[in-house]
């Protein structure tokens, strides 16, 4: 019998290197879904949105999940989505909820992590009433600002590629397309 001495960490690394998904991360309202959809179309790949997957699996909106089941339950759903993506998805463009990589570092095994970096002020200017209503963690602006600063350093540390996304969707899309080409 041939014994190999490969650590779990190395196996994870091999899996990660072989995954060809593009995973978009960034703060709420950074344009992950809009730009991700354009990228997927241009690459003729499928586009997945983890928030939409969770909403359709649960049959209710994210604010309702937060309200009725709590944030912890939502994070456990995100973790299940990440495990499923690792085992089942290749060659897709995936837009993630803003907290997914923060709470679940395993997301890095899904594919290449691309951070769409947008200043907090720009995010605020993009948020109308309707967009705010969809995001329970934006209920308190002071708290959202603090969360932004905390998250930004985590995103920067864990991303494979950082894209300045303080621009129109078309410009961000072309930066993204060049960066992942
Ligand atoms: C969250 C971001 C949201 C959604 C949920 C929690 C977060 O997604 O997953 O409200 O923790 O930042 P978007 O980043 O698409 O708004």
């Amino acid at each position: 019998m041939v014994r190999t001495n490969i650590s779990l960490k190395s196996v994870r690394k091999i899996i990660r290197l072989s995954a060809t998904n593009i995973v978009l991360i960034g703060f709420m309202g950074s344009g992950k879904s809009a730009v991700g959809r354009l990228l997927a179309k241009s690459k003729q790949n499928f586009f997945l949105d983890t928030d939409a997957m969770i909403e359709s699996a649960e049959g209710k909106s994210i604010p309702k999940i937060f309200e009725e089941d709590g944030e912890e339950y939502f994070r456990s759903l995100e973790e299940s989505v990440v495990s499923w993506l690792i085992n089942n998805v290749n060659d897709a463009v995936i837009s993630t909820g803003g907290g997914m990589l923060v709470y679940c570092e395993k997301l890095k095994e899904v594919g290449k992590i691309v951070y769409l970096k947008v200043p907090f002020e720009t995010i605020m200017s993009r948020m109308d009433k309707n967009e705010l209503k969809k995001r329970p963690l934006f209920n308190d602006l002071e708290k959202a600002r603090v969360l932004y600063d905390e998250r930004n350093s985590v995103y920067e540390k864990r991303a494979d590629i950082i894209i300045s996304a303080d621009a129109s969707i078309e410009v961000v899309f072309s930066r993204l397309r060049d960066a992942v080409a």
Side-chain angles (χ1 to χ4, degrees):
M1 190 170 75
V2 182
R3 274 183 174 272
T4 50
N5 242 344
I6 302 179
S7 68
L8 189 59
K9 205 170 163 198
S10 318
V11 173
R12 285 220 164 115
K13 197 166 172 202
I14 292 165
I15 293 171
R16 209 183 125 217
L17 290 175
S18 63
T20 53
N21 299 303
I22 307 291
V23 181
L24 300 179
I25 64 154
F27 204 65
M28 297 170 262
S30 54
K32 293 162 289 185
S33 300
V35 173
R37 218 171 262 122
L38 289 179
L39 181 69
K41 253 191 195 158
S42 78
K43 288 167 72 68
Q44 295 189 317
N45 284 347
F46 278 112
F47 171 71
L48 294 172
D49 180 319
T50 61
D51 283 341
M53 289 167 73
I54 288 173
E55 287 185 325
S56 93
E58 292 293 295
K60 53 183 155 180
S61 69
I62 299 226
K64 265 259 166 302
I65 298 172
F66 269 69
E67 188 192 317
E68 292 177 1
D69 311 297
E71 180 173 351
E72 211 172 303
Y73 178 67
F74 174 75
R75 298 300 170 198
S76 74
L77 296 173
E78 286 196 308
E79 205 167 324
S80 311
V81 170
V82 171
S83 300
W84 184 82
L85 291 170
I86 290 171
N87 293 318
N88 295 287
V89 179
N90 241 319
D91 279 340
V93 177
I94 302 163
S95 165
T96 63
M100 190 175 246
L101 179 65
V102 178
Y103 290 95
C104 187
E105 201 174 344
K106 223 168 53 165
L107 179 65
K108 282 181 75 69
E109 291 167 36
V110 175
K112 194 173 273 179
I113 304 288
V114 184
Y115 172 26
L116 299 187
K117 185 171 176 174
V118 182
F120 188 72
E121 291 65 31
T122 306
I123 286 176
M124 281 317 299
S125 71
R126 288 179 185 171
M127 287 277 175
D128 58 21
K129 245 186 174 173
N130 201 32
E131 291 299 311
L132 285 172
K133 221 168 62 193
K134 288 193 240 164
R135 296 176 166 95
L137 296 179
F138 245 112
N139 283 343
D140 180 329
L141 283 191
E142 286 292 308
K143 281 193 185 155
R145 165 94 242 184
V146 172
L147 197 61
Y148 174 90
D149 290 332
E150 285 169 7
R151 296 257 178 100
N152 180 51
S153 59
V154 179
Y155 296 148
E156 286 189 340
K157 234 179 265 156
R158 298 188 182 165
D160 298 307
I161 298 174
I162 299 176
I163 292 193
S164 164
D166 191 7
S168 67
I169 287 181
E170 292 72 23
V171 170
V172 179
F173 161 61
S174 85
R175 286 178 190 163
L176 177 61
R177 192 191 44 203
D178 294 348
V180 299

